Amino acid sequence: MDGLLTFLGTGTSMGVPTLGCDCQVCTSTDPHDRRLRPSVLLRWREPGESRERVVVIDTGPDFREQALRNGLTRVDAVFYTHSHADHIMGMDDLRPLSFTVFREGGPILLYASSEAAKVLERIYDYTLSPSATYPNRARVKLEPLADSTRVYGVDFLRVPLLHGEMEISGFRFGRAAYLTDVSAIPESSFSLLTGLDTLVVSALRHKPHPTHATVEQAIAWARRIGARQTWLTHIAHELGHEQTNRALPDNIRLAYDGLSLPVNLEPANR
Ligand SMILES: [Zn+2]
Ligand SMILES: [Zn+2]
């Protein structure tokens, strides 16, 4: 079974252009240098099914704009990597999409670790609290994040990662993996990352940062993991698209907003 992976946003937490900045990248006219907050979308169709299935990883503050740009009309489930604002603050914009799905018989499932669920429950108390009565609240339901979660025929494997001191989640689906906000990959997680066609990994900039990998670190992981193609995301304004790509190895490129890639969703022989 094949699916289509789309980058809804490839920018760092502040987005690019960054407010108040007039650097070369923030003032660039190249559309590849405009990056919304990080998120991806996976769509696929199960054999014999007419309806397309849609999973989003993270709903950041740009989610509404991203959904409009990409013609998103339904969402079956959301997986959360962690609870930082650039990954969760668009959850409320699931409301109109959740009403449609709700009418079809069920809420949108939100898969989150207990840490991320706690933050979501605090911020979106008016939606997620068992006593919530706000009539136009999103029809969503928090689900615990397991090591492996099947959504309409596709297995999403949780890949434990470190984001500074914080343990967060990456995800593998078929022959692709999405690892954002990573500063270290625990040794035990590498065995979940064998046999990949497509690796997406975050790379903030060249200068070291306490909670994010540099381009050089991401290249080293890409080489070790050995996916056919690696795409870098969660990119800060220090990295111009064209200039950075020219210096990267052949099978490693900066992703950009709107980029879509076919992915093989069969469980790989790992
Ligand atoms: Zn982030
Ligand atoms: Zn983060």
Side-chain angles (χ1 to χ4, degrees):
M1 189 160 63
D2 284 336
L4 194 66
L5 180 70
T6 301
F7 288 84
L8 297 181
T10 57
T12 187
S13 57
M14 290 185 278
V16 181
T18 300
L19 291 181
C21 183
D22 62 358
C23 78
Q24 226 181 357
V25 176
C26 288
T27 56
S28 161
T29 52
D30 180 353
H32 298 103
D33 284 325
R34 296 189 80 87
R35 305 174 184 129
L36 296 177
R37 263 58 72 85
S39 172
V40 286
L41 166 70
L42 183 69
R43 320 179 199 223
W44 71 95
R45 201 160 284 180
E46 284 181 282
E49 284 280 332
S50 58
R51 174 177 299 149
E52 186 178 63
R53 297 298 176 184
V54 180
V55 159
V56 175
I57 302 183
D58 292 330
T59 52
D62 296 318
F63 176 70
R64 177 175 173 278
E65 179 62 24
Q66 293 166 331
L68 290 170
R69 283 187 192 180
N70 290 278
L72 199 61
T73 55
R74 59 190 318 278
V75 171
D76 292 293
V78 179
F79 282 84
Y80 284 102
T81 60
H82 66 302
S83 63
H84 284 161
D86 53 323
H87 299 260
I88 65 167
M89 291 309 285
M91 194 287 276
D92 209 53
D93 286 323
L94 290 170
R95 283 194 301 148
L97 302 179
S98 79
F99 299 156
T100 316
V101 172
F102 193 64
R103 283 201 296 274
E104 287 169 13
I108 296 176
L109 300 180
L110 310 180
Y111 292 98
S113 68
S114 53
E115 174 276 330
K118 225 179 271 171
V119 177
L120 285 165
E121 280 171 327
R122 195 171 69 230
I123 295 175
Y124 299 108
D125 170 71
Y126 61 93
T127 297
L128 296 169
S129 149
S131 55
T133 53
Y134 176 51
N136 286 331
R137 65 189 182 278
R139 268 52 173 181
V140 293
K141 184 167 179 277
L142 272 173
E143 291 285 341
L145 183 59
D147 290 345
S148 175
T149 305
R150 176 161 285 205
V151 181
Y152 297 109
V154 177
D155 290 325
F156 290 82
L157 304 188
R158 176 174 181 265
V159 181
L161 302 172
L162 286 174
H163 181 24
E165 308 259 283
M166 186 182 194
E167 189 182 301
I168 63 165
S169 308
F171 297 99
R172 181 195 177 130
F173 30 95
R175 306 274 181 88
Y178 180 72
L179 316 178
T180 190
D181 291 61
V182 51
S183 56
I185 303 178
E187 203 47 44
S188 53
S189 289
F190 280 100
S191 61
L192 301 169
L193 299 169
T194 57
L196 291 181
D197 291 337
T198 305
L199 170 67
V200 182
V201 64
S202 56
L204 192 72
R205 61 189 190 192
H206 293 295
K207 209 173 107 195
H209 185 281
T211 59
H212 289 281
T214 60
V215 172
E216 290 63 33
Q217 179 66 71
I219 291 172
W221 289 328
R223 290 210 163 110
R224 174 166 176 192
I225 292 165
R228 279 204 226 167
Q229 183 72 41
T230 294
W231 296 94
L232 307 182
T233 191
H234 207 294
I235 307 159
H237 65 155
E238 283 92 338
L239 301 180
H241 186 80
E242 273 307 317
Q243 190 197 358
T244 308
N245 269 344
R246 269 200 300 274
L248 287 173
D250 270 353
N251 62 344
I252 304 178
R253 283 289 172 271
L254 293 189
Y256 53 90
D257 292 21
L259 170 68
S260 283
L261 310 166
V263 294
N264 179 337
L265 294 174
E266 301 300 329
N269 301 320
R270 292 189 288 109

